Amino acid sequence: MYIGKLGDGSSPDDGIYILVKEVLDNCIDEYTMGFGKTIEITINERQVKIRDHGRGIPLGKVVDVSSKMNTGAKYDDKVFKKSVD
């Protein structure tokens, strides 16, 4: 995913915030589709941890989603729901 500038967190358009939003959106999608039971968010000074208890990336697709452009972890269009824009 293209995030623009990484930045240091001092500007609202720094890439780190885009990454946090994308991870949280994916957690919300999993929860909305019934695959996640909880979403845990921990913020400590300059560190954010987000943990969902959803399905994760299918093992057969790990290489694809980590090395190919425009590939995501959502492979079933029938159940895909868009969370937050």
Side-chain angles (χ1 to χ4, degrees), residues 26-39 52 54:
N26 287 338
C27 294
I28 293 168
D29 287 342
E30 284 291 294
Y31 185 87
T32 301
M33 291 184 284
F35 295 108
K37 301 298 179 213
T38 60
I39 299 171
D52 75 341

Side-chain angles (χ1 to χ4, degrees), residues 32-51:
T32 301
M33 291 184 284
F35 295 108
K37 301 298 179 213
T38 60
I39 299 171
E40 300 169 9
I41 303 170
T42 307
I43 302 171
N44 291 317
E45 294 189 27
R46 297 179 57 98
Q47 185 179 51
V48 176
K49 292 181 183 181
I50 301 174
R51 165 76 196 234

